[in-house]
Amino acid sequence: MEEIMKKRQKEAEEAYEKMWNGGKGSHHPDFDPEADGDDVIKGSRETEELYNAIVKNDIALVYKKIEEGADVNFVFGRAYRCPEGYTPLMVAAHRGRLECSKALLRAGADPNYINGAHDLTLFWGIDGGVEMIKLFVDYGADLDVCTPKDWTPLSYCKAKGKYGATEEKGIYPEDVLRYYGASKYGSGPEALGTRSPRESFNPEAEAFLRERGSYQNEPEHP
């Protein structure tokens, strides 16, 4: 049995190396080998493996790839079938990978990057939930920046809808940003519908921890 397992492991390692093909191939699922042009930039092996570690939420591997030299500010662009571009931090933030995002920010990832579609990295952070927003605040994200298409974090939150991530139901991302000092609204994206006028995020308020089945109550350990 041990010999069989060793054989299978060797075959898996050989297949993995074949994917890389001395740098001509890729470990990224969206790599386009036919893309060409001066703006087609391929990431290093460590950077592509960093992407996969983030997707799998393998925090130990994220740190390992950073230590090995992965570029935490690499832009996955046309070489990866995304002309607008996205960074490892965008990947982590959008998926709510809080610890992965911490690792990237500690390593110098830019929380204020704007991609080719004029989307802020913070927009992706807003999608990741309240704790992700707070992390971005801690690392110096500009809460009142206005993109070239006249979007701001507050107007993005307003358009996003009533609640943040499902595990934080009852908390408006818009109110979280306002609590931390955001004040500017842009003209877009279009907001569909309206929300309740109550302020949903104020940790200093006496009634903040009232029982109402929201994220305000710490979840019990399983």
Side-chain angles (χ1 to χ4, degrees):
M1 179 60 72
E2 184 178 349
E3 290 300 318
I4 293 175
M5 295 303 297
K6 287 182 178 179
K7 181 181 178 181
R8 289 179 178 176
Q9 183 177 355
K10 182 179 179 181
E11 290 174 348
E13 290 173 352
E14 290 174 350
Y16 190 73
E17 286 299 323
K18 187 176 181 180
M19 287 174 60
W20 183 246
N21 191 22
K24 297 178 182 178
S26 174
H27 294 308
H28 193 292
D30 297 326
F31 176 68
D32 182 2
E34 298 181 358
D36 59 11
D38 294 338
D39 61 339
V40 175
I41 303 173
K42 188 175 183 296
S44 68
R45 184 171 188 167
E46 294 78 13
T47 302
E48 290 189 352
E49 290 173 331
L50 173 64
Y51 167 88
N52 289 322
I54 294 167
V55 172
K56 292 186 294 184
N57 203 24
D58 188 335
I59 299 167
L61 187 57
V62 166
Y63 276 105
K64 183 173 185 292
K65 291 305 161 184
I66 291 173
E67 290 174 358
E68 290 176 354
D71 184 355
V72 297
N73 285 307
F74 181 77
V75 179
F76 293 94
R78 281 218 308 123
Y80 301 91
R81 296 183 171 90
C82 185
E84 300 83 8
Y86 58 89
T87 64
L89 183 56
M90 286 176 158
V91 175
H94 175 70
R95 287 172 169 78
R97 307 282 198 250
L98 189 65
E99 293 303 319
C100 291
S101 297
K102 286 181 182 178
L104 294 167
L105 287 162
R106 287 168 180 163
D110 183 4
N112 293 306
Y113 171 74
I114 302 178
N115 72 4
H118 297 155
D119 286 331
L120 298 170
T121 303
L122 182 54
F123 292 166
W124 298 51
I126 290 166
D127 292 340
V130 170
E131 291 301 319
M132 190 68 70
I133 293 173
K134 291 162 66 178
L135 178 65
F136 270 64
V137 171
D138 289 343
Y139 279 86
D142 186 346
L143 304 186
D144 278 332
V145 65
C146 186
T147 72
K149 55 187 177 184
D150 196 36
W151 292 12
T152 66
L154 278 177
S155 61
Y156 181 84
C157 283
K158 184 177 180 180
K160 178 179 170 62
K162 188 174 183 182
Y163 297 126
T166 54
E167 65 271 16
E168 294 153 352
K169 188 174 181 180
I171 298 298
Y172 298 112
E174 184 180 354
D175 287 341
V176 177
L177 286 175
R178 289 171 60 186
Y179 175 80
Y180 286 108
S183 61
K184 295 182 180 178
Y185 285 85
S187 60
E190 181 182 2
L192 303 176
T194 58
R195 69 171 178 83
S196 158
R198 73 174 169 79
E199 300 297 320
S200 66
F201 188 82
N202 183 1
E204 297 174 358
E206 292 183 2
F208 182 65
L209 291 177
R210 62 189 180 281
E211 295 288 339
R212 59 183 181 85
S214 79
Y215 108 109
Q216 296 172 3
N217 299 308
E218 292 293 330
E220 297 180 3
H221 292 290

